[in-house]
Amino acid sequence: MRPPVPKGTRLYRVWGKYARQFGRSWTRVDPRTIITGMYGDLSGLPNANSGENLSEGILSNDFGTYSKTADPLDGNVGGLDEVIVPDAENQIESIVTCP
């Protein structure tokens, strides 16, 4: 069993198109620090996620959370830090969204 990600951790989610804001895949890596055009590949974003929005928040409840490397979805390389948050809408607070 993997240990939970600690409460108080800052998390980021890139989303859009068919990917919703409160999905379960987040990261501790600020996408704005990744070379333009590389984030989708490194994070393994599926084709259904246009990646046009960015949400940032603080993990307030660590129940069921864990970290892993991002899977290589739809031909992307993956490998970036990924945090699984089962109920992001209720487990992440202070969410700020930027287009």
Side-chain angles (χ1 to χ4, degrees):
M1 185 166 190
R2 298 175 187 158
V5 175
K7 289 190 286 188
T9 300
R10 182 172 303 278
L11 297 175
Y12 304 88
R13 177 168 169 77
V14 171
W15 57 281
K17 195 174 178 183
Y18 300 113
R20 54 194 179 94
Q21 179 181 10
F22 294 107
R24 51 181 253 143
S25 294
W26 293 70
T27 185
R28 292 175 280 203
V29 178
D30 184 341
R32 296 168 291 198
T33 66
I34 305 291
I35 296 172
T36 303
M38 293 294 296
Y39 182 80
D41 193 32
L42 296 173
S43 65
L45 286 185
N47 292 338
N49 186 340
S50 61
E52 62 204 47
N53 301 298
L54 171 64
S55 293
E56 177 180 351
I58 304 294
L59 186 65
S60 60
N61 177 340
D62 64 1
F63 182 78
T65 64
Y66 64 91
S67 65
K68 66 183 198 75
T69 57
D71 296 327
L73 302 175
D74 294 337
N76 291 316
V77 298
L80 194 68
D81 171 70
E82 181 177 1
V83 175
I84 303 301
V85 182
D87 186 10
E89 192 165 5
N90 294 305
Q91 289 181 270
I92 299 176
E93 63 183 34
S94 303
I95 292 189
V96 176
T97 300
C98 323

